[in-house]
Amino acid sequence: MSPTQQLITGVILAGGKSSRMGQNKALMSLGGKRLVDRVVEVMRSVFDDLLMVTNTPDVYADLGVPMVRDVWPEKGSLGGVYSAIYHVATPYCLVVACDMPFLQAAVLRYLITQMADYDVVVPDVLGELQTLHAIYSKACLQPIERRLETNRLRIVGFFPEVRVRTVTAGELETYDPELLAFANLNTPEEFKAAEQRLRA
């Protein structure tokens, strides 16, 4: 295990309610592979240690990934990020959503090279901060906890209290020219478009 690997754990959040899909999107098959399998495959190629945050562990038992539940249930993505940081044994974790079919190992590795001296490393692409494709340190726990206690659940809300490195699209286009890594699938239309892209 490299010195960097001892510092960071890869975490997959699989707690989202797939209301617009009408089913659990992580288990939907894309190009013959479940979305969650695609995510796990890429994450395994980057991280020695993986963790999944889910309140339905039985659904994902076949993945062979250690699983933990939300520390603060019903607190949305911010609760999931908190649970990831809380449960990992390493000072940092890289958190991704379970519905990102085009995750790129090279992009994840680049983010890892940027984490020294920062508490959050987050891509700023496609017009927004990609908070579910980002690195968080243990220093984020207390600022997040204060927000969870008062039900202020926007992930970026705690950023002013920690050291944040925003990574630009220009930095990442070398590894992922179309920035596909940040596509997540929330609607049947987006799913269909992803299938067409895979076939192309």
Side-chain angles (χ1 to χ4, degrees):
M1 191 185 283
S2 72
T4 305
Q5 286 285 2
Q6 291 169 3
L7 295 175
I8 190 161
T9 302
V11 183
I12 300 159
L13 299 189
K17 294 182 170 63
S18 309
S19 49
R20 283 179 284 179
M21 283 291 197
Q23 58 180 296
N24 183 344
K25 59 188 172 183
L27 302 179
M28 291 174 72
S29 181
L30 182 70
K33 245 187 222 171
R34 296 180 308 178
L35 275 187
V36 69
D37 291 319
R38 290 180 174 279
V39 171
V40 168
E41 202 171 284
V42 175
M43 293 290 275
R44 275 209 173 108
S45 74
V46 176
F47 297 98
D48 291 340
D49 293 318
L50 279 190
L51 193 65
M52 178 178 269
V53 177
T54 177
N55 293 320
T56 54
D58 48 319
V59 172
Y60 302 106
D62 61 326
L63 290 170
V65 175
M67 288 181 277
V68 292
R69 291 179 181 270
D70 269 318
V71 180
W72 291 68
E74 305 301 321
K75 295 288 186 181
S77 297
L78 184 62
V81 169
Y82 180 88
S83 300
I85 305 164
Y86 179 89
H87 282 294
V88 295
T90 50
Y92 293 90
C93 58
L94 193 155
V95 175
V96 298
C98 65
D99 63 341
M100 305 178 97
F102 304 115
L103 268 188
Q104 300 282 341
V107 171
L108 299 175
R109 289 192 183 104
Y110 179 75
L111 296 184
I112 292 167
T113 67
Q114 303 303 304
M115 69 190 189
D117 303 320
Y118 293 100
D119 301 310
V120 176
V121 179
V122 59
D124 184 359
V125 301
L126 307 178
E128 61 182 327
L129 293 172
Q130 301 289 331
T131 52
L132 295 185
H133 186 297
I135 293 175
Y136 299 93
S137 82
K138 290 280 187 186
C140 300
L141 277 175
Q142 281 189 308
I144 295 177
E145 199 167 313
R146 285 194 288 272
R147 302 189 80 78
L148 290 173
E149 283 166 351
T150 51
N151 237 28
R152 293 172 295 161
L153 302 181
R154 281 184 72 230
I155 294 181
V156 297
F158 80 93
F159 283 11
E161 298 176 60
V162 294
R163 301 166 302 166
V164 179
R165 160 84 160 93
T166 51
V167 177
T168 65
E171 291 174 78
L172 298 174
E173 281 164 347
T174 311
Y175 310 102
D176 184 8
E178 295 179 69
L179 300 174
L180 288 176
F182 304 100
N184 61 352
L185 307 185
N186 292 310
T187 65
E189 291 73 31
E190 287 171 353
F191 200 85
K192 206 164 285 176
E195 281 191 315
Q196 284 164 352
R197 182 171 285 283
L198 273 179
R199 280 200 295 269

